Amino acid sequence: MIVRLRVAGLTLVARSRKPLPGLRLPPRLRPFEAARGGDIQLEATEAAPPVPALGARLFDSGGLWSVHRHGAGRLYVVREPLRGRPPLKAALLDEGLRRGTLFLPRSRQSGKAGFALGFPLDEVLFQHRLAVEGGVFIHSSAVEIGGGVALFCGVSGAGKTTVARLFHRAGRRVLSDDRVALRPRARHILAFGTPWHGSGRFASARSARLRAVFFLKQASRSEAVPLPGAPARLFSLSFPPVWDEAGVASVLAACGRVAEAVPTFELRFKKDTSVLEAVEGALCR
C-alpha cells in the first residue's frame, strides 16, 4: 500500500507491506494526493514506536506532539491529550528528513482514514523539511489576483478568513485561509496553498508567484500603507522548527528574501468590499 501527499512542491510518501486503514487519504487531503515522487519516504509499521531516552527531548508543543533526538535522527511523537497514555503514532527520520519509519500501533484511532498522515504529524514534517529546503510556512491567507498571489498575514482573529471570504465572493480563487507555504526562487517567490485551513475551509493545491504581502489590521476604513521592517514581522508569523538551529536560521533568511522580493504593506481594513479596492490599488502602484 502506498500513499503520497504533495504540499509546497514536496512529496511525502508512506508505504506499508499490507493495507492499513489509517493510510487511506480522507476527502480533504485528496486534492493534495500525488502520483509520484518521494522527498520524505516513510515505511509504515504497526510496531510500537521507540521510547525516547531521558534528556533527548528537543521540543514539546505543550499539546499533542514533541520532538526528540534518537540516534542520529529525529523522533516525532504524537500523543493523546491525557498524560501517561502510550503514543498514538510517531515518525523516526534521519537528520535530513528524507527517510524513516512511521509507527502506527493498533488502536481505535489508527483505523480511521487519514490517521497516519493527519494533523499534526503531516504539518510538522512538511514545515521542518521545507525549512531545510529554504522555504517557510506563514500564518496567512492567500488569494490569486492578476496572475499572482496576495498574502494576508496575521495572528488568529486578525481577519485572514474574513478577507479570504470577501475575495472569494468577488470571484477570486483562494489558496488558503490559514497556512501558506512560500518558496524563494532565483527571480521570484512561489506561494502554495496547503491542506491546513481555517474556519473558511479554503485549501487549494495550486501555486502562483507572490505579488505582495499584507499585514492585517482591522480599522474603520480600508487602506494599504507601505510597511518597512517586514522580515521580522514575517518571521513572527512563521513556523520555524525551533528544535533545529539551522532550520530556524533558514526560515529567518527566507523571510528576508520574501521581504526583498515583493512590496509589503500594512492593510488597515474594514470588513466590507472596500478592502478589495485597497488591495488592488496597492498592487497597481
Side-chain angles (χ1 to χ4, degrees), residues 3-285:
V3 62
R4 286 183 172 89
L5 190 63
R6 188 168 180 81
V7 178
L10 295 171
T11 302
L12 189 160
V13 55
R15 299 181 177 88
S16 171
R17 295 181 181 274
K18 64 177 184 178
L20 294 177
L23 280 180
R24 294 196 306 267
L25 289 183
R28 71 176 185 85
L29 289 179
R30 287 175 192 159
F32 296 87
E33 188 172 11
R36 59 181 63 87
D39 301 287
I40 306 171
Q41 301 191 36
L42 301 175
E43 296 292 334
T45 175
E46 290 183 304
V51 178
L54 291 175
R57 185 169 59 191
L58 298 170
F59 177 78
D60 194 317
S61 70
L64 298 176
W65 60 278
S66 55
V67 185
H68 309 258
R69 287 191 204 90
H70 193 83
R74 298 288 184 269
L75 179 66
Y76 300 78
V77 178
V78 178
R79 58 180 180 263
E80 290 193 64
L82 296 175
R83 296 284 182 174
R85 297 284 184 89
L88 291 172
K89 56 185 173 183
L92 176 60
L93 290 104
D94 60 47
E95 197 163 351
L97 280 87
R98 291 178 174 84
R99 296 182 179 274
T101 303
L102 177 62
F103 297 91
L104 301 171
R106 291 186 181 183
S107 68
R108 186 171 55 187
Q109 292 92 334
S110 65
K112 299 176 181 178
F115 170 77
L117 300 180
F119 180 85
L121 185 60
D122 58 347
E123 185 175 1
V124 172
L125 293 181
F126 275 109
Q127 285 174 358
H128 193 179
R129 179 57 191 271
L130 188 64
V132 171
E133 297 284 332
V136 57
F137 282 88
I138 301 293
H139 201 187
S140 59
S141 57
V143 178
E144 289 191 35
I145 303 174
V149 168
L151 194 73
F152 302 99
C153 309
V155 297
S156 297
K160 297 183 296 297
T161 297
T162 297
V163 171
R165 283 179 173 143
L166 287 168
F167 275 99
H168 176 68
R169 290 169 190 157
R172 304 292 189 179
R173 180 179 283 110
V174 178
L175 299 187
S176 175
D177 67 328
D178 197 63
R179 299 282 198 276
V180 179
L182 302 178
R183 298 195 72 169
R185 298 303 193 210
R187 297 179 179 274
H188 61 274
I189 309 294
L190 271 181
F192 297 80
T194 74
W196 309 297
H197 54 71
S199 59
R201 306 188 70 82
F202 294 105
S204 170
R206 290 174 59 89
S207 63
R209 183 172 179 165
L210 183 66
R211 293 188 63 190
V213 174
F214 298 87
F215 295 93
L216 296 175
K217 181 179 181 180
Q218 296 180 31
S220 58
R221 61 186 292 266
S222 296
E223 61 176 334
V225 180
L227 180 71
R233 291 189 67 167
L234 267 176
F235 184 75
S236 72
L237 295 167
S238 70
F239 297 88
V242 295
W243 56 92
D244 180 343
E245 184 177 349
V248 172
S250 178
V251 168
L252 183 57
C255 291
R257 291 186 64 184
V258 171
E260 290 176 358
V262 300
T264 57
F265 303 88
E266 181 175 78
L267 180 60
R268 303 165 186 170
F269 75 100
K270 186 177 181 181
K271 297 180 182 180
D272 60 23
T273 56
S274 64
V275 69
L276 280 65
E277 297 176 3
V279 169
E280 291 174 348
L283 293 175
C284 291
R285 292 179 188 175

